[in-house]
Amino acid sequence: MKPFEQGYSIFVKGKLCEGTKMLRGNPFHPGSVASKEWDRGFNTAYYKNLEWQHDFSTKRSRKSFQKHGGKYGK
């Protein structure tokens, strides 16, 4: 598995370090190309998750507002 894919899957699958509640860290030497690729994969997954949560939250709040007869609802 390539470093980008490793970083991406660590975030998506939520793999934790043994004995802690923290996500696994970057296993590569700092400053190496592999380390940068791992970080890029992890960050890509993080920002995709943020977009998804924002879209879901916006849709949910809009539906809730209209359901309860907001200013422009029903």
Side-chain angles (χ1 to χ4, degrees):
M1 184 182 287
K2 294 182 180 180
F4 177 87
E5 295 167 347
Q6 288 178 357
Y8 192 91
S9 71
I10 291 287
F11 185 85
V12 171
K13 295 179 181 177
K15 294 182 181 177
L16 304 176
C17 292
E18 293 181 25
T20 67
K21 294 183 179 182
M22 295 178 64
L23 287 173
R24 290 186 191 167
N26 190 336
F28 300 102
H29 183 71
S32 68
V33 173
S35 175
K36 291 176 183 178
E37 283 297 304
W38 189 94
D39 286 337
R40 191 170 68 89
F42 189 90
N43 292 338
T44 299
Y46 173 80
Y47 285 109
K48 280 187 179 182
N49 185 50
L50 276 182
E51 283 180 20
W52 179 81
Q53 285 188 353
H54 175 71
D55 292 343
F56 180 73
S57 175
T58 303
K59 288 176 186 174
R60 188 181 65 207
S61 63
R62 195 175 301 139
K63 283 180 184 177
S64 176
F65 185 71
Q66 290 175 350
K67 180 179 176 182
H68 297 299
K71 187 174 181 182
Y72 300 107
K74 294 187 179 182

